[in-house]
Amino acid sequence: MLSARGLSVRYGRSVHALSDVDLEVEADGVLAVLGGNGAGKSTLLRAVSGTLPLHRGAVSAGEIVFDGNRIDKLDPALIVRAGVVAVPEGRQVFARMTVEENLRAGGLGARSAEVRTAARERIRTLFPVLDERSGQRAGLLSGGEQQMLAIGRALMSGPKLLLLDEPSLGLAPQMVGRIARIIREIHSQGTAVVLVEQNATMALQVADHAVVLEVGRVALSGPAAELAASDDVQRLYLGGH
Ligand code: ATP
């Protein structure tokens, strides 16, 4: 469904944030992208969603193909229209708008009113708490609720592929577990997911496949269960020895 081939991204002339990255996301898959600070995880999501900072960041080599079409030269709005939607790091809900207004804003990217209506129903069952809070300002929600709202807002356009940047960041363990279950649920309803995480334990439980980035290159890739069992991943990312 999504593939990157030989993808390289630079910021200005000197920062090579990604070098020759190959990866594949299956239509029915969850791909975890792991790696330490500055490994290039967010850059990868920005490249896929077309939101690299315009004045500095650019795909300098390679290509990104989604559903058979190249998307690496498209405007972000057209990438959303094609079915790829990102939830950025730090959630970035519209704090002064209500929960419902945030969801409506997400629906602006939908292909049709039918898609929007179906998505609103889906969000009702996935996140009952958002209905209870629908008239409240988003900035007053807890961190976990804001994460749910950010995911809900992204789902409003009916994406085929959801890109999540560190959804567990700053959340209590119980809430991380809830978000993990929600990601599995979204996947089982037919939406593919790319999950960027520092929390490798959570990500490898949720994902089918995983890649590990190290200074902009793919250091390891394979089925999530295999990576979870590997000595390198155990030592570097799962706190094992
Ligand atoms: P983190 O988990 O800390 O967010 P990351 O794996 O998401 O890390 P990126 O944010 O993609 O990593 O950063 C990859 C590299 O690109 C780093 O060396 C970073 O300093 C650099 N970088 C990121 N954004 C910019 C930018 N706007 N301008 C210049 N360099 C940047």
Side-chain angles (χ1 to χ4, degrees):
M1 167 183 250
L2 179 86
S3 65
R5 293 270 156 262
L7 183 68
S8 298
V9 174
R10 282 195 206 164
Y11 293 109
R13 287 205 186 147
S14 53
V15 182
H16 294 256
L18 291 179
S19 308
D20 202 16
V21 167
D22 290 334
L23 57 82
E24 205 75 50
V25 184
E26 306 292 336
D28 60 352
V30 178
L31 176 77
V33 180
L34 310 177
N37 285 322
K41 305 181 299 298
S42 299
T43 298
L44 175 64
L45 290 198
R46 280 192 222 119
V48 173
S49 59
T51 54
L52 288 164
L54 275 180
H55 59 296
R56 280 187 71 81
V59 171
S60 57
E63 59 177 34
I64 305 170
V65 174
F66 178 71
D67 264 357
N69 300 310
R70 271 190 80 163
I71 59 168
D72 49 276
K73 303 263 190 303
L74 291 184
D75 284 343
L78 290 177
I79 296 176
V80 169
R81 200 45 82 89
V84 180
V85 180
V87 179
E89 187 174 340
R91 343 214 200 277
Q92 299 181 28
V93 296
F94 304 121
R96 297 165 70 88
M97 283 162 58
T98 67
V99 167
E100 194 59 36
E101 286 165 347
N102 269 269
L103 292 176
R104 259 187 244 144
L108 296 175
R111 286 179 301 282
S112 66
E114 288 75 28
V115 168
R116 226 177 352 253
T117 308
R120 188 68 192 85
E121 265 320 298
R122 181 186 190 190
I123 290 157
R124 225 162 243 134
T125 40
L126 273 172
F127 306 110
V129 66
L130 295 184
D131 266 4
E132 290 159 25
R133 306 282 161 89
S134 66
Q136 237 177 50
R137 281 190 186 195
L140 299 176
L141 300 179
S142 73
E145 289 163 350
Q146 288 190 22
Q147 186 61 61
M148 292 184 205
L149 178 56
I151 296 173
R153 187 179 58 183
L155 290 177
M156 277 297 289
S157 62
K160 298 182 202 163
L161 174 66
L162 190 63
L163 310 172
L164 300 175
D165 198 349
E166 307 246 10
S168 79
L169 196 71
L171 302 183
Q174 204 188 351
M175 186 53 86
V176 174
R178 242 171 110 182
I179 297 289
R181 283 193 294 281
I182 286 165
I183 297 170
R184 286 305 309 175
E185 179 73 22
I186 288 169
H187 160 254
S188 71
Q189 293 170 344
T191 309
V193 179
V194 176
L195 172 61
V196 160
E197 265 298 338
Q198 297 248 1
N199 184 336
T201 309
M202 181 272 227
L204 290 173
Q205 279 167 3
V206 170
D208 316 302
H209 284 85
V211 299
V212 177
L213 292 180
E214 275 173 14
V215 274
R217 291 183 182 274
V218 175
L220 288 169
S221 69
E226 257 172 47
L227 258 69
S230 97
D231 285 347
D232 283 348
V233 173
Q234 282 280 339
R235 184 169 44 85
L236 293 169
Y237 302 105
L238 297 173
H241 300 288

